[in-house]
Amino acid sequence: MGIKTVILAAGQGTRMRSSKPKVLHKVAERALLHHVYDTSTELENNSIIIIYGHGGDLVKNELKTLNAEWVEQKEQLGTGHAVQQAENFINDEDKVLILYGDVPLLKKTTIDKLLENVSQKSIGLLTVNLDDPTGYGRIVRNNDGKVLKIVEEKDTNQEEKLILEGNTGIIATPGDLLKQWLSKLENGNAQKEFYLTDIIEMAVKDGVEVKTNQPDTQDEVLGVNDRTQLAHLERVYQLEQAEKLMVHGIALRDPRRIDVRGKFSELGKDIEIDVNVIFEGINKIGSNVKIGANCILKDAQIGNGVEILANCIIDNAIVGEQSRIGPFARLRPLAELASEVHIGNFVEIKKATVAKGSKINHLSYIGDAEIGSKVNIGAGAITCNYDGVNKFKTVIEDGAFIGSDSQLIAPVTIGKGATIGAGSTITKDSPENQLTLSRAKQISVEGWKRPVKK
Ligand code: UD1
Ligand code: CA
């Protein structure tokens, strides 16, 4: 017996006031639907069916890599009608799990408990006790506490309105029973919709017990209907990430001021992270790394003992161990620094390798370059790698010293141990161990007088 997860994602989401379908809005840079999908993939022996409709092609295009059956619900006639669209994919012996594409933070542990309640004699229903249940279907129980039915807000009477136990919409049932009940749905209700919730009363009539469980927190079952709820869930998600990091042994100056919009492929011990740091993509961070305030790391690999000072951007770059970056440095894609490299303020490095112990401390641009070890690049020195059409390479060999404010016009090689005089424009290869400079001779004019105002 397998699990079939049906994710309902055909709704419009009018209150987002967006041209984008609701389920494509993002928490931590990942579409809401993608979060639900990810959680579903944690279940064993499971296949996923996504019911899409509103803005369907946009949704399918953006998420085409998901391993799921995409089933279109051409008209949105209600949650029951949505599940009916999946019928062809459901076998009698399956356990069917119904999730919502706009409820991104539901935990696998909660789903596991729900699924445990499914048998030939029982179905699982996830409910939630709410301070304000407005808008939710209400769980109606008898005096023994057994669930009798769900009444939608718009169909409630005075008494039912007072019930604080709400329907999350998340249900698990045996496939054969679900299909029988789906075939009997009618839309004679306040919204003229085919309500999935009506299967609860049918189950009770058929002598099938409705077993309920609740999530650990309300946030787990919160759906996104507007931008405020989206922002709320982003913060809930981020706080969860921060807590995971701290459990792992990472020091966060303020767990409310960190954003993890991706994953870590590796995390060492004793990492210290100051406020307002953003992690995107897949980052790998060694031990004893310090990251200063306001840094953005995206697909970065940071070696042990690295110190990143405030306000750095590291994008798809590698930083070797014991290196020091920043403040205000930018490492762009394919910057590869070996160990003990120092990159200082207002330095930009792109597609360049820098070998052990080299220093580029102030105001430099290094692009398309290969820099040896123990090289010192003075303030304001830059590689001129681009002639407006093509890019060319600069090679700076071990131990070279590049004087301040020099321009190295690629393609060019600076030999081992060479020194470039400050302010030089270097257009030709510069030999090893020599001083090379291109500079107009300095003169002083004796007896010269400043002009005076006429
Ligand atoms: C539904 C439940 C309600 C529950 C609430 C929790 C029903 C009848 N009501 O109400 O008991 O308290 O969720 O949020 O089930 N969808 C489709 N196709 C449709 C209609 C909806 O795919 O034709 C999808 C939506 O995209 C959404 C989910 O189903 O992800 C719920 O739809 P929504 O309209 O938000 O249901 P509610 O009226 O809030
Ligand atoms: Ca809803």
Side-chain angles (χ1 to χ4, degrees), residues 8-11 22 51 73 75-79 81-82 100-102 135-137 150 152 167-169 191 193 195-197 225:
L8 305 189
K22 178 162 74 172
I51 309 297
Q73 184 192 19
E75 277 181 288
Q76 280 77 65
L77 303 180
T79 50
H81 181 257
Y100 285 0
D102 55 1
Y136 281 78
I150 298 176
E152 289 306 294
N167 172 33
T168 65
Q191 302 184 81
E193 282 183 6
Y195 291 163
L196 180 65
T197 43
N225 295 306

Side-chain angles (χ1 to χ4, degrees), residues 99-140:
L99 301 178
Y100 285 0
D102 55 1
V103 177
L105 301 191
L106 186 68
K107 297 270 177 300
K108 177 180 181 283
T109 46
T110 303
I111 295 174
D112 285 340
K113 286 181 206 153
L114 181 77
L115 289 170
E116 276 166 25
N117 285 335
V118 181
S119 71
Q120 267 318 107
K121 294 240 162 316
S122 62
I123 67 174
L125 173 66
L126 187 66
T127 72
V128 59
N129 291 334
L130 298 155
D131 303 328
D132 175 12
T134 307
Y136 281 78
R138 306 297 207 282
I139 310 296
V140 180

Side-chain angles (χ1 to χ4, degrees), residues 246-311:
M246 292 187 292
V247 166
H248 188 88
I250 287 161
L252 302 181
R253 277 295 175 83
D254 184 350
R256 293 188 178 274
R257 284 185 287 169
I258 177 173
D259 285 83
V260 181
R261 301 170 187 164
K263 295 196 174 102
F264 295 99
S265 60
E266 225 177 281
L267 271 174
K269 289 277 172 263
D270 294 301
I271 297 168
E272 291 175 29
I273 302 176
D274 210 328
V275 299
N276 298 329
V277 175
I278 300 174
F279 294 96
E280 292 179 7
I282 299 177
N283 287 288
K284 175 176 169 181
I285 309 208
S287 291
N288 299 302
V289 169
K290 284 189 185 155
I291 303 177
N294 311 316
C295 289
I296 301 175
L297 278 73
K298 182 178 177 215
D299 299 315
Q301 294 181 41
I302 311 294
N304 294 334
V306 167
E307 186 170 9
I308 301 167
L309 300 166
N311 300 299

Side-chain angles (χ1 to χ4, degrees), residues 23-38:
V23 289
L24 288 184
H25 286 270
K26 289 175 176 175
V27 163
E29 282 304 302
R30 185 165 278 246
L32 297 174
L33 177 55
H34 205 166
H35 281 273
V36 180
Y37 171 86
D38 283 346

Side-chain angles (χ1 to χ4, degrees), residues 10-209:
Q12 179 174 9
T14 323
R15 279 184 284 156
M16 294 300 285
R17 297 184 186 275
S18 169
S19 54
K20 215 162 58 170
K22 178 162 74 172
V23 289
L24 288 184
H25 286 270
K26 289 175 176 175
V27 163
E29 282 304 302
R30 185 165 278 246
L32 297 174
L33 177 55
H34 205 166
H35 281 273
V36 180
Y37 171 86
D38 283 346
T39 312
S40 316
T41 59
E42 292 171 31
L43 302 170
E44 267 168 44
N45 195 7
N46 176 39
S47 49
I48 298 170
I49 301 144
I50 299 174
I51 309 297
Y52 71 99
H54 212 88
D57 289 340
L58 290 173
V59 179
K60 251 170 91 172
N61 276 339
E62 192 168 317
L63 299 175
K64 55 175 170 267
T65 58
L66 303 191
N67 181 16
E69 292 292 345
W70 291 86
V71 181
E72 188 178 5
Q73 184 192 19
K74 292 201 175 68
E75 277 181 288
Q76 280 77 65
L77 303 180
T79 50
H81 181 257
V83 177
Q84 280 171 349
Q85 311 309 305
E87 258 176 322
N88 288 341
F89 297 93
I90 296 170
N91 299 316
D92 285 351
E93 59 282 6
D94 287 331
K95 272 190 190 182
V96 183
L97 168 68
I98 314 286
L99 301 178
Y100 285 0
D102 55 1
V103 177
L105 301 191
L106 186 68
K107 297 270 177 300
K108 177 180 181 283
T109 46
T110 303
I111 295 174
D112 285 340
K113 286 181 206 153
L114 181 77
L115 289 170
E116 276 166 25
N117 285 335
V118 181
S119 71
Q120 267 318 107
K121 294 240 162 316
S122 62
I123 67 174
L125 173 66
L126 187 66
T127 72
V128 59
N129 291 334
L130 298 155
D131 303 328
D132 175 12
T134 307
Y136 281 78
R138 306 297 207 282
I139 310 296
V140 180
R141 292 178 185 263
N142 68 11
N143 290 336
D144 300 334
K146 292 234 181 291
V147 174
L148 295 178
K149 59 178 177 176
I150 298 176
V151 182
E152 289 306 294
E153 166 94 12
K154 289 187 177 135
D155 301 299
T156 49
N157 59 33
Q158 290 296 343
E159 202 182 332
E160 289 160 344
K161 249 195 193 68
L162 300 175
I163 298 172
L164 296 178
E165 186 180 13
N167 172 33
T168 65
I170 292 154
I171 294 178
T173 91
D176 50 357
L177 295 179
L178 177 67
K179 286 195 281 185
Q180 287 171 30
W181 296 328
L182 285 177
S183 69
K184 292 192 255 175
L185 288 181
E186 285 171 16
N187 64 351
N189 50 54
Q191 302 184 81
K192 301 277 173 286
E193 282 183 6
F194 296 92
Y195 291 163
L196 180 65
T197 43
D198 286 350
I199 70 167
I200 300 298
E201 198 173 357
M202 296 179 190
V204 173
K205 280 215 177 84
D206 289 347
V208 174
E209 189 183 354

